Amino acid sequence: MTFIAALLSSTQFAMAGIRPGAVWPDNRGIHINAHGGGVLRCGDTFYWFGEHKADTTSSAMVGVTCYSSKDLEHWTYRGVALKVSYAKGSDIERGCILERPKVIYNKKTGKYVMWFHLELKGQGYAAARYGVAVADKPEGPYTFLRSGRVNPGIWPVNLANPDTTALTEAMNRKPELQWWTPEWMEYIKQGMLTWRDYDGGQMARDQTVYVDDDGKAYHIYSSEENLTLQIAELTDDYTAHTGRYVRVAPGGQNEAPAIFKHNGTYWMITSGCTGWAPNKARMFKASSIFGPWEQLPTPCVGPDADKTFGGQSTYVLQLGDNFVFMADIWRPEHPSDARYIWLPITFADGVPVVKWTDEWDITSLLKNR
């Protein structure tokens, strides 16, 4: 018997409201396997997309799974939305790393567009690519289009005229220019790694996508060796980058971005970079999606708030004027047993607050969606 099967056989499945950190069963009584994911609303139905995790590896052995729900509590398994490929050398070959899938709907094309972080099989985290796929129905099947680095040969809007001579000299000063020294960090802020990756394109790891009120979509991802966030505008069909992008918090070591907008202000919750181990969530705000972004203290309140309640941000779901913070409790020894944290976001003096609660009722939020 597999680890997760043994877990399921000994657990009583009766989902009562939202219980962060508990085992969440689908319609088959099986723990939902949709990690690092996001939720898309289509009419009165919600679709949850996420990484399928195996019992013993975090590599992608199946692909991106999809579940649907009318009430955000009871979930029906809809199958594998994007399957990994068994073709040797495929970008999404079985055994690659495929993380943080998010789906958005394009009203102009009628297509559902999935973006995700992709690492090529056998290369660890060296590739640092985005992946994009499209479908005619929310549940798929999705057709893989391409993967790659972001905006090759283009400078970010807020780093238009860097001193590339100085940055080249800094890169060539290895090993005497040591990582994490104040001098090294200053070069990072000036764009040393942006310049290093200029020709081949910017690194793209932990990521999300966001559609603004005007219909424009954006790709938000951890870049520059996870030291700097970047926000890149997408084309009208949401399947490629336009070339306009910005750097956010250079050298700040942020990943796991989750973005939302409230009363005209953009908010972004992120995490630090500590591998699978939880850390203290960060929060940023801006009046424009291209910034400037201001960092604020963690929004989390309650037991283990300094470790984001043991989880890591993945998405913020909007329900009318209400918002739900979504995070993952990773269990790398048994990846399929990773758990989910969903908590309501409240506001204190206009600032988001995520307060821990053992169990809560989401139906009141659904009435206002």
Side-chain angles (χ1 to χ4, degrees):
M1 181 180 289
T2 65
F3 172 81
I4 195 65
L7 173 73
L8 295 169
S9 67
S10 63
T11 304
Q12 180 67 36
F13 293 105
M15 188 106 166
I18 301 296
R19 293 178 292 136
V23 171
W24 289 12
D26 65 10
N27 61 305
R28 306 165 299 171
I30 300 174
H31 181 49
I32 292 170
N33 200 332
H35 310 282
V39 174
L40 175 71
R41 180 165 68 93
C42 299
D44 63 351
T45 303
F46 297 90
Y47 293 88
W48 180 358
F49 302 89
E51 310 160 23
H52 179 280
K53 294 290 191 186
D55 288 346
T56 59
T57 178
S58 287
S59 295
M61 309 306 288
V62 173
V64 177
T65 44
C66 177
Y67 297 79
S68 67
S69 174
K70 300 288 188 180
D71 60 9
L72 293 171
E73 291 185 8
H74 303 89
W75 292 92
T76 298
Y77 178 66
R78 302 301 295 269
V80 183
L82 175 67
K83 296 181 179 180
V84 295
S85 173
Y86 281 79
K88 188 173 179 59
S90 167
D91 286 4
I92 56 170
E93 181 181 355
R94 186 173 188 265
C96 67
I97 295 172
L98 196 163
E99 297 179 331
R100 299 186 176 269
K102 307 291 187 294
V103 174
I104 50 180
Y105 176 65
N106 190 288
K107 294 180 180 179
K108 293 181 180 179
T109 65
K111 298 286 187 179
Y112 296 88
V113 185
M114 178 187 295
W115 285 77
F116 51 91
H117 163 215
L118 178 69
E119 301 290 348
L120 302 178
K121 182 177 181 179
Q123 296 187 23
Y125 279 83
R129 294 187 180 192
Y130 71 84
V132 61
V134 296
D136 294 322
K137 298 184 295 182
E139 67 271 25
Y142 284 76
T143 300
F144 175 67
L145 296 182
R146 78 186 77 86
S147 75
R149 292 283 187 93
V150 181
N151 290 325
I154 301 173
W155 287 110
V157 172
N158 55 355
L159 187 68
N161 295 296
D163 185 347
T164 56
T165 299
L167 296 178
T168 300
E169 290 176 353
M171 287 189 293
N172 292 335
R173 284 177 54 199
K174 295 179 180 180
E176 68 267 21
L177 182 60
Q178 296 293 323
W179 281 49
W180 305 116
T181 62
E183 184 183 15
W184 176 87
M185 182 58 73
E186 184 58 35
Y187 281 119
I188 292 296
K189 293 178 180 179
Q190 292 176 19
M192 182 169 64
L193 296 182
T194 319
W195 175 229
R196 183 199 67 181
D197 296 334
Y198 178 82
D199 289 335
Q202 300 300 307
M203 304 175 84
R205 290 189 178 135
D206 278 9
Q207 65 94 54
T208 191
V209 282
Y210 174 74
V211 179
D212 209 341
D213 301 333
D214 60 2
K216 283 192 174 294
Y218 299 88
H219 182 206
I220 302 99
Y221 50 94
S222 188
S223 192
E224 301 177 31
E225 304 291 356
N226 292 6
L227 288 164
T228 302
L229 291 167
Q230 294 184 359
I231 300 177
E233 184 184 67
L234 297 181
T235 54
D236 286 347
D237 65 1
Y238 300 169
T239 66
H241 301 97
T242 66
R244 294 187 69 241
Y245 72 108
V246 293
R247 303 169 77 221
V248 177
Q253 280 194 294
N254 286 279
E255 61 181 12
I259 191 170
F260 63 105
K261 187 178 183 180
H262 179 252
N263 289 344
T265 298
Y266 298 87
W267 298 93
M268 181 162 52
I269 300 173
T270 70
S271 82
C273 301
T274 53
W276 297 108
N279 57 62
K280 192 174 189 177
R282 292 92 175 272
M283 184 165 64
F284 297 82
K285 74 171 185 177
S287 58
S288 166
I289 196 165
F290 269 12
W293 288 83
E294 174 190 356
Q295 185 168 350
L296 283 76
T298 178
C300 299
V301 175
D304 289 326
D306 281 352
K307 291 187 177 180
T308 317
F309 318 118
Q312 185 183 39
S313 51
T314 184
Y315 195 71
V316 171
L317 171 63
Q318 182 172 359
L319 300 171
D321 293 328
N322 298 287
F323 301 88
V324 178
F325 172 72
M326 296 170 52
D328 297 275
I329 300 175
W330 300 116
R331 297 191 169 175
E333 297 84 3
H334 302 292
S336 58
D337 187 36
R339 306 294 178 86
Y340 309 104
I341 296 172
W342 288 17
L343 292 168
I345 296 176
T346 58
F347 291 84
D349 298 323
V351 177
V353 176
V354 180
K355 186 177 180 180
W356 176 263
T357 181
D358 291 332
E359 183 177 325
W360 61 285
D361 183 3
I362 202 169
T363 55
S364 59
L365 300 187
L366 286 173
K367 293 176 182 178
N368 299 317
R369 63 186 168 97

